PDB file of all heavy atoms in Angstrom:
ATOM      1  N   VAL A   1      38.268 -22.936  -5.227  1.00  0.00           N
ATOM      2  CA  VAL A   1      37.845 -23.341  -3.862  1.00  0.00           C
ATOM      3  C   VAL A   1      36.644 -24.256  -3.983  1.00  0.00           C
ATOM      4  O   VAL A   1      35.770 -24.109  -4.859  1.00  0.00           O
ATOM      5  CB  VAL A   1      37.503 -22.097  -3.041  1.00  0.00           C
ATOM      6  CG1 VAL A   1      36.802 -22.468  -1.727  1.00  0.00           C
ATOM      7  CG2 VAL A   1      38.700 -21.249  -2.808  1.00  0.00           C
ATOM      8  N   GLY A   2      36.585 -25.240  -3.118  1.00  0.00           N
ATOM      9  CA  GLY A   2      35.370 -26.078  -2.947  1.00  0.00           C
ATOM     10  C   GLY A   2      35.124 -27.057  -4.046  1.00  0.00           C
ATOM     11  O   GLY A   2      33.965 -27.290  -4.430  1.00  0.00           O
ATOM     12  N   ASN A   3      36.185 -27.649  -4.570  1.00  0.00           N
ATOM     13  CA  ASN A   3      36.074 -28.717  -5.550  1.00  0.00           C
ATOM     14  C   ASN A   3      36.642 -29.989  -4.960  1.00  0.00           C
ATOM     15  O   ASN A   3      36.750 -30.106  -3.704  1.00  0.00           O
ATOM     16  CB  ASN A   3      36.777 -28.308  -6.847  1.00  0.00           C
ATOM     17  CG  ASN A   3      35.993 -27.326  -7.681  1.00  0.00           C
ATOM     18  OD1 ASN A   3      35.034 -27.693  -8.288  1.00  0.00           O
ATOM     19  ND2 ASN A   3      36.435 -26.117  -7.679  1.00  0.00           N
ATOM     20  N   LYS A   4      36.971 -30.943  -5.730  1.00  0.00           N
ATOM     21  CA  LYS A   4      37.541 -32.190  -5.239  1.00  0.00           C
ATOM     22  C   LYS A   4      38.886 -32.478  -5.921  1.00  0.00           C
ATOM     23  O   LYS A   4      39.245 -33.566  -6.280  1.00  0.00           O
ATOM     24  CB  LYS A   4      36.588 -33.334  -5.496  1.00  0.00           C
ATOM     25  CG  LYS A   4      35.267 -33.159  -4.788  1.00  0.00           C
ATOM     26  CD  LYS A   4      34.280 -34.210  -5.190  1.00  0.00           C
ATOM     27  CE  LYS A   4      32.923 -33.921  -4.516  1.00  0.00           C
ATOM     28  NZ  LYS A   4      31.828 -34.697  -5.117  1.00  0.00           N
ATOM     29  N   LEU A   5      39.659 -31.367  -6.112  1.00  0.00           N
ATOM     30  CA  LEU A   5      40.915 -31.446  -6.797  1.00  0.00           C
ATOM     31  C   LEU A   5      41.952 -32.081  -5.896  1.00  0.00           C
ATOM     32  O   LEU A   5      41.976 -31.877  -4.674  1.00  0.00           O
ATOM     33  CB  LEU A   5      41.377 -30.063  -7.233  1.00  0.00           C
ATOM     34  CG  LEU A   5      40.379 -29.357  -8.129  1.00  0.00           C
ATOM     35  CD1 LEU A   5      40.787 -27.876  -8.340  1.00  0.00           C
ATOM     36  CD2 LEU A   5      40.229 -30.051  -9.458  1.00  0.00           C
ATOM     37  N   SER A   6      42.877 -32.827  -6.471  1.00  0.00           N
ATOM     38  CA  SER A   6      43.849 -33.534  -5.680  1.00  0.00           C
ATOM     39  C   SER A   6      45.239 -33.449  -6.303  1.00  0.00           C
ATOM     40  O   SER A   6      45.369 -32.959  -7.447  1.00  0.00           O
ATOM     41  CB  SER A   6      43.442 -35.017  -5.483  1.00  0.00           C
ATOM     42  OG  SER A   6      43.370 -35.645  -6.748  1.00  0.00           O
ATOM     43  N   GLY A   7      46.231 -33.942  -5.592  1.00  0.00           N
ATOM     44  CA  GLY A   7      47.606 -33.925  -6.113  1.00  0.00           C
ATOM     45  C   GLY A   7      48.344 -32.766  -5.573  1.00  0.00           C
ATOM     46  O   GLY A   7      47.791 -31.919  -4.839  1.00  0.00           O
ATOM     47  N   PRO A   8      49.606 -32.644  -5.902  1.00  0.00           N
ATOM     48  CA  PRO A   8      50.415 -31.498  -5.458  1.00  0.00           C
ATOM     49  C   PRO A   8      50.117 -30.260  -6.239  1.00  0.00           C
ATOM     50  O   PRO A   8      49.591 -30.308  -7.364  1.00  0.00           O
ATOM     51  CB  PRO A   8      51.838 -31.944  -5.679  1.00  0.00           C
ATOM     52  CG  PRO A   8      51.726 -32.907  -6.814  1.00  0.00           C
ATOM     53  CD  PRO A   8      50.398 -33.607  -6.663  1.00  0.00           C
ATOM     54  N   ILE A   9      50.387 -29.066  -5.697  1.00  0.00           N
ATOM     55  CA  ILE A   9      50.325 -27.839  -6.448  1.00  0.00           C
ATOM     56  C   ILE A   9      51.525 -27.750  -7.350  1.00  0.00           C
ATOM     57  O   ILE A   9      52.683 -27.930  -6.891  1.00  0.00           O
ATOM     58  CB  ILE A   9      50.366 -26.643  -5.502  1.00  0.00           C
ATOM     59  CG1 ILE A   9      49.071 -26.638  -4.647  1.00  0.00           C
ATOM     60  CG2 ILE A   9      50.393 -25.332  -6.290  1.00  0.00           C
ATOM     61  CD1 ILE A   9      49.019 -25.481  -3.623  1.00  0.00           C
ATOM     62  N   PRO A  10      51.323 -27.585  -8.661  1.00  0.00           N
ATOM     63  CA  PRO A  10      52.464 -27.532  -9.559  1.00  0.00           C
ATOM     64  C   PRO A  10      53.335 -26.282  -9.371  1.00  0.00           C
ATOM     65  O   PRO A  10      52.788 -25.177  -9.120  1.00  0.00           O
ATOM     66  CB  PRO A  10      51.855 -27.542 -10.957  1.00  0.00           C
ATOM     67  CG  PRO A  10      50.428 -27.112 -10.765  1.00  0.00           C
ATOM     68  CD  PRO A  10      50.050 -27.468  -9.320  1.00  0.00           C
ATOM     69  N   ALA A  11      54.642 -26.428  -9.465  1.00  0.00           N
ATOM     70  CA  ALA A  11      55.517 -25.323  -9.249  1.00  0.00           C
ATOM     71  C   ALA A  11      55.316 -24.177 -10.262  1.00  0.00           C
ATOM     72  O   ALA A  11      55.570 -23.025  -9.984  1.00  0.00           O
ATOM     73  CB  ALA A  11      56.979 -25.817  -9.321  1.00  0.00           C
ATOM     74  N   TRP A  12      54.810 -24.484 -11.451  1.00  0.00           N
ATOM     75  CA  TRP A  12      54.661 -23.441 -12.471  1.00  0.00           C
ATOM     76  C   TRP A  12      53.617 -22.397 -12.068  1.00  0.00           C
ATOM     77  O   TRP A  12      53.620 -21.319 -12.664  1.00  0.00           O
ATOM     78  CB  TRP A  12      54.351 -24.008 -13.844  1.00  0.00           C
ATOM     79  CG  TRP A  12      53.179 -24.992 -14.004  1.00  0.00           C
ATOM     80  CD1 TRP A  12      53.271 -26.313 -14.129  1.00  0.00           C
ATOM     81  CD2 TRP A  12      51.802 -24.612 -14.050  1.00  0.00           C
ATOM     82  NE1 TRP A  12      52.025 -26.848 -14.275  1.00  0.00           N
ATOM     83  CE2 TRP A  12      51.083 -25.877 -14.225  1.00  0.00           C
ATOM     84  CE3 TRP A  12      51.103 -23.429 -14.005  1.00  0.00           C
ATOM     85  CZ2 TRP A  12      49.709 -25.871 -14.329  1.00  0.00           C
ATOM     86  CZ3 TRP A  12      49.704 -23.467 -14.116  1.00  0.00           C
ATOM     87  CH2 TRP A  12      49.031 -24.663 -14.244  1.00  0.00           C
ATOM     88  N   ILE A  13      52.772 -22.638 -11.078  1.00  0.00           N
ATOM     89  CA  ILE A  13      51.904 -21.576 -10.648  1.00  0.00           C
ATOM     90  C   ILE A  13      52.685 -20.412 -10.108  1.00  0.00           C
ATOM     91  O   ILE A  13      52.445 -19.259 -10.449  1.00  0.00           O
ATOM     92  CB  ILE A  13      50.874 -22.087  -9.586  1.00  0.00           C
ATOM     93  CG1 ILE A  13      49.793 -22.858 -10.285  1.00  0.00           C
ATOM     94  CG2 ILE A  13      50.229 -20.934  -8.809  1.00  0.00           C
ATOM     95  CD1 ILE A  13      48.641 -23.340  -9.379  1.00  0.00           C
ATOM     96  N   GLY A  14      53.682 -20.692  -9.283  1.00  0.00           N
ATOM     97  CA  GLY A  14      54.545 -19.631  -8.786  1.00  0.00           C
ATOM     98  C   GLY A  14      55.517 -19.070  -9.810  1.00  0.00           C
ATOM     99  O   GLY A  14      55.786 -17.865  -9.842  1.00  0.00           O
ATOM    100  N   SER A  15      55.986 -19.925 -10.666  1.00  0.00           N
ATOM    101  CA  SER A  15      56.936 -19.455 -11.687  1.00  0.00           C
ATOM    102  C   SER A  15      56.320 -18.661 -12.819  1.00  0.00           C
ATOM    103  O   SER A  15      56.855 -17.680 -13.254  1.00  0.00           O
ATOM    104  CB  SER A  15      57.671 -20.706 -12.303  1.00  0.00           C
ATOM    105  OG  SER A  15      58.342 -21.411 -11.334  1.00  0.00           O
ATOM    106  N   ASN A  16      55.158 -19.108 -13.307  1.00  0.00           N
ATOM    107  CA  ASN A  16      54.533 -18.505 -14.493  1.00  0.00           C
ATOM    108  C   ASN A  16      53.401 -17.532 -14.185  1.00  0.00           C
ATOM    109  O   ASN A  16      52.951 -16.824 -15.085  1.00  0.00           O
ATOM    110  CB  ASN A  16      53.997 -19.566 -15.406  1.00  0.00           C
ATOM    111  CG  ASN A  16      55.104 -20.415 -16.005  1.00  0.00           C
ATOM    112  OD1 ASN A  16      56.163 -20.514 -15.422  1.00  0.00           O
ATOM    113  ND2 ASN A  16      54.826 -21.047 -17.095  1.00  0.00           N
ATOM    114  N   MET A  17      52.953 -17.507 -12.988  1.00  0.00           N
ATOM    115  CA  MET A  17      51.853 -16.592 -12.633  1.00  0.00           C
ATOM    116  C   MET A  17      52.206 -15.646 -11.515  1.00  0.00           C
ATOM    117  O   MET A  17      51.472 -15.429 -10.585  1.00  0.00           O
ATOM    118  CB  MET A  17      50.624 -17.416 -12.240  1.00  0.00           C
ATOM    119  CG  MET A  17      50.141 -18.352 -13.301  1.00  0.00           C
ATOM    120  SD  MET A  17      48.749 -19.355 -12.685  1.00  0.00           S
ATOM    121  CE  MET A  17      47.856 -19.630 -14.211  1.00  0.00           C
ATOM    122  N   GLN A  18      53.426 -15.057 -11.627  1.00  0.00           N
ATOM    123  CA  GLN A  18      53.971 -14.263 -10.562  1.00  0.00           C
ATOM    124  C   GLN A  18      53.140 -13.038 -10.176  1.00  0.00           C
ATOM    125  O   GLN A  18      53.295 -12.486  -9.108  1.00  0.00           O
ATOM    126  CB  GLN A  18      55.398 -13.877 -10.869  1.00  0.00           C
ATOM    127  CG  GLN A  18      56.338 -15.030 -10.964  1.00  0.00           C
ATOM    128  CD  GLN A  18      57.748 -14.664 -11.285  1.00  0.00           C
ATOM    129  OE1 GLN A  18      58.082 -13.491 -11.356  1.00  0.00           O
ATOM    130  NE2 GLN A  18      58.558 -15.640 -11.590  1.00  0.00           N
ATOM    131  N   GLU A  19      52.298 -12.537 -11.077  1.00  0.00           N
ATOM    132  CA  GLU A  19      51.556 -11.348 -10.806  1.00  0.00           C
ATOM    133  C   GLU A  19      50.166 -11.620 -10.210  1.00  0.00           C
ATOM    134  O   GLU A  19      49.403 -10.709  -9.975  1.00  0.00           O
ATOM    135  CB  GLU A  19      51.314 -10.555 -12.106  1.00  0.00           C
ATOM    136  CG  GLU A  19      52.632 -10.116 -12.763  1.00  0.00           C
ATOM    137  CD  GLU A  19      53.477  -9.243 -11.823  1.00  0.00           C
ATOM    138  OE1 GLU A  19      52.943  -8.387 -11.167  1.00  0.00           O
ATOM    139  OE2 GLU A  19      54.740  -9.434 -11.811  1.00  0.00           O
ATOM    140  N   LEU A  20      49.871 -12.911  -9.919  1.00  0.00           N
ATOM    141  CA  LEU A  20      48.564 -13.210  -9.273  1.00  0.00           C
ATOM    142  C   LEU A  20      48.379 -12.423  -7.977  1.00  0.00           C
ATOM    143  O   LEU A  20      49.322 -12.359  -7.187  1.00  0.00           O
ATOM    144  CB  LEU A  20      48.467 -14.719  -8.988  1.00  0.00           C
ATOM    145  CG  LEU A  20      47.911 -15.623 -10.019  1.00  0.00           C
ATOM    146  CD1 LEU A  20      47.879 -17.103  -9.500  1.00  0.00           C
ATOM    147  CD2 LEU A  20      46.535 -15.256 -10.469  1.00  0.00           C
ATOM    148  N   GLU A  21      47.247 -11.872  -7.820  1.00  0.00           N
ATOM    149  CA  GLU A  21      46.899 -11.163  -6.597  1.00  0.00           C
ATOM    150  C   GLU A  21      46.100 -12.057  -5.654  1.00  0.00           C
ATOM    151  O   GLU A  21      46.232 -11.947  -4.441  1.00  0.00           O
ATOM    152  CB  GLU A  21      46.120  -9.901  -6.910  1.00  0.00           C
ATOM    153  CG  GLU A  21      46.941  -8.882  -7.687  1.00  0.00           C
ATOM    154  CD  GLU A  21      46.127  -7.695  -8.157  1.00  0.00           C
ATOM    155  OE1 GLU A  21      44.900  -7.583  -7.793  1.00  0.00           O
ATOM    156  OE2 GLU A  21      46.682  -6.874  -8.893  1.00  0.00           O
ATOM    157  N   ILE A  22      45.277 -12.934  -6.201  1.00  0.00           N
ATOM    158  CA  ILE A  22      44.465 -13.839  -5.423  1.00  0.00           C
ATOM    159  C   ILE A  22      44.623 -15.261  -5.954  1.00  0.00           C
ATOM    160  O   ILE A  22      44.396 -15.501  -7.120  1.00  0.00           O
ATOM    161  CB  ILE A  22      42.952 -13.422  -5.434  1.00  0.00           C
ATOM    162  CG1 ILE A  22      42.781 -12.021  -4.866  1.00  0.00           C
ATOM    163  CG2 ILE A  22      42.123 -14.457  -4.728  1.00  0.00           C
ATOM    164  CD1 ILE A  22      41.372 -11.447  -5.081  1.00  0.00           C
ATOM    165  N   LEU A  23      45.007 -16.160  -5.086  1.00  0.00           N
ATOM    166  CA  LEU A  23      45.104 -17.588  -5.400  1.00  0.00           C
ATOM    167  C   LEU A  23      44.338 -18.353  -4.348  1.00  0.00           C
ATOM    168  O   LEU A  23      44.730 -18.414  -3.204  1.00  0.00           O
ATOM    169  CB  LEU A  23      46.580 -18.092  -5.466  1.00  0.00           C
ATOM    170  CG  LEU A  23      46.764 -19.538  -5.771  1.00  0.00           C
ATOM    171  CD1 LEU A  23      46.155 -19.913  -7.135  1.00  0.00           C
ATOM    172  CD2 LEU A  23      48.233 -19.862  -5.733  1.00  0.00           C
ATOM    173  N   SER A  24      43.185 -18.875  -4.703  1.00  0.00           N
ATOM    174  CA  SER A  24      42.268 -19.570  -3.785  1.00  0.00           C
ATOM    175  C   SER A  24      42.157 -21.041  -4.161  1.00  0.00           C
ATOM    176  O   SER A  24      41.538 -21.385  -5.136  1.00  0.00           O
ATOM    177  CB  SER A  24      40.891 -18.954  -3.808  1.00  0.00           C
ATOM    178  OG  SER A  24      40.931 -17.622  -3.363  1.00  0.00           O
ATOM    179  N   LEU A  25      42.854 -21.907  -3.373  1.00  0.00           N
ATOM    180  CA  LEU A  25      42.858 -23.320  -3.595  1.00  0.00           C
ATOM    181  C   LEU A  25      42.195 -24.100  -2.448  1.00  0.00           C
ATOM    182  O   LEU A  25      42.297 -25.305  -2.396  1.00  0.00           O
ATOM    183  CB  LEU A  25      44.277 -23.816  -3.760  1.00  0.00           C
ATOM    184  CG  LEU A  25      45.157 -23.105  -4.821  1.00  0.00           C
ATOM    185  CD1 LEU A  25      46.566 -23.610  -4.815  1.00  0.00           C
ATOM    186  CD2 LEU A  25      44.519 -23.258  -6.201  1.00  0.00           C
ATOM    187  N   GLY A  26      41.552 -23.398  -1.537  1.00  0.00           N
ATOM    188  CA  GLY A  26      41.025 -23.999  -0.318  1.00  0.00           C
ATOM    189  C   GLY A  26      39.932 -25.020  -0.573  1.00  0.00           C
ATOM    190  O   GLY A  26      39.325 -25.121  -1.625  1.00  0.00           O
ATOM    191  N   SER A  27      39.680 -25.857   0.451  1.00  0.00           N
ATOM    192  CA  SER A  27      38.625 -26.855   0.461  1.00  0.00           C
ATOM    193  C   SER A  27      38.673 -27.818  -0.741  1.00  0.00           C
ATOM    194  O   SER A  27      37.691 -27.996  -1.457  1.00  0.00           O
ATOM    195  CB  SER A  27      37.267 -26.239   0.547  1.00  0.00           C
ATOM    196  OG  SER A  27      37.161 -25.502   1.729  1.00  0.00           O
ATOM    197  N   ASN A  28      39.834 -28.411  -0.950  1.00  0.00           N
ATOM    198  CA  ASN A  28      40.040 -29.426  -1.996  1.00  0.00           C
ATOM    199  C   ASN A  28      40.772 -30.615  -1.320  1.00  0.00           C
ATOM    200  O   ASN A  28      40.684 -30.772  -0.107  1.00  0.00           O
ATOM    201  CB  ASN A  28      40.872 -28.859  -3.155  1.00  0.00           C
ATOM    202  CG  ASN A  28      40.002 -28.055  -4.116  1.00  0.00           C
ATOM    203  OD1 ASN A  28      39.242 -28.597  -4.858  1.00  0.00           O
ATOM    204  ND2 ASN A  28      40.122 -26.719  -4.043  1.00  0.00           N
ATOM    205  N   HIS A  29      41.424 -31.434  -2.098  1.00  0.00           N
ATOM    206  CA  HIS A  29      42.170 -32.533  -1.598  1.00  0.00           C
ATOM    207  C   HIS A  29      43.624 -32.476  -2.035  1.00  0.00           C
ATOM    208  O   HIS A  29      44.271 -33.533  -2.238  1.00  0.00           O
ATOM    209  CB  HIS A  29      41.544 -33.855  -2.093  1.00  0.00           C
ATOM    210  CG  HIS A  29      40.112 -34.032  -1.686  1.00  0.00           C
ATOM    211  ND1 HIS A  29      39.710 -34.318  -0.420  1.00  0.00           N
ATOM    212  CD2 HIS A  29      38.971 -33.917  -2.415  1.00  0.00           C
ATOM    213  CE1 HIS A  29      38.383 -34.376  -0.375  1.00  0.00           C
ATOM    214  NE2 HIS A  29      37.930 -34.123  -1.595  1.00  0.00           N
ATOM    215  N   PHE A  30      44.136 -31.260  -2.161  1.00  0.00           N
ATOM    216  CA  PHE A  30      45.555 -31.123  -2.537  1.00  0.00           C
ATOM    217  C   PHE A  30      46.422 -31.715  -1.458  1.00  0.00           C
ATOM    218  O   PHE A  30      46.055 -31.717  -0.276  1.00  0.00           O
ATOM    219  CB  PHE A  30      45.914 -29.631  -2.724  1.00  0.00           C
ATOM    220  CG  PHE A  30      45.258 -28.995  -3.909  1.00  0.00           C
ATOM    221  CD1 PHE A  30      44.453 -27.895  -3.746  1.00  0.00           C
ATOM    222  CD2 PHE A  30      45.409 -29.480  -5.160  1.00  0.00           C
ATOM    223  CE1 PHE A  30      43.857 -27.278  -4.828  1.00  0.00           C
ATOM    224  CE2 PHE A  30      44.835 -28.903  -6.270  1.00  0.00           C
ATOM    225  CZ  PHE A  30      44.027 -27.802  -6.092  1.00  0.00           C
TER     226      PHE A  30
END
């Protein structure tokens, strides 16, 4: 959260990190 990251979210986050409990990508430039 709170960086200047851009681009699309890669599909492998959902495919390879299925057990994630918290995913915080807010306040960027995705």
Side-chain angles (χ1 to χ4, degrees):
V1 171
N3 283 287
K4 298 173 185 168
L5 302 172
S6 62
I9 295 177
W12 54 257
I13 283 186
S15 298
N16 294 23
M17 300 178 151
Q18 294 179 10
E19 300 302 319
L20 270 180
E21 295 173 5
I22 299 171
L23 178 59
S24 297
L25 306 176
S27 298
N28 280 286
H29 303 287
F30 292 122

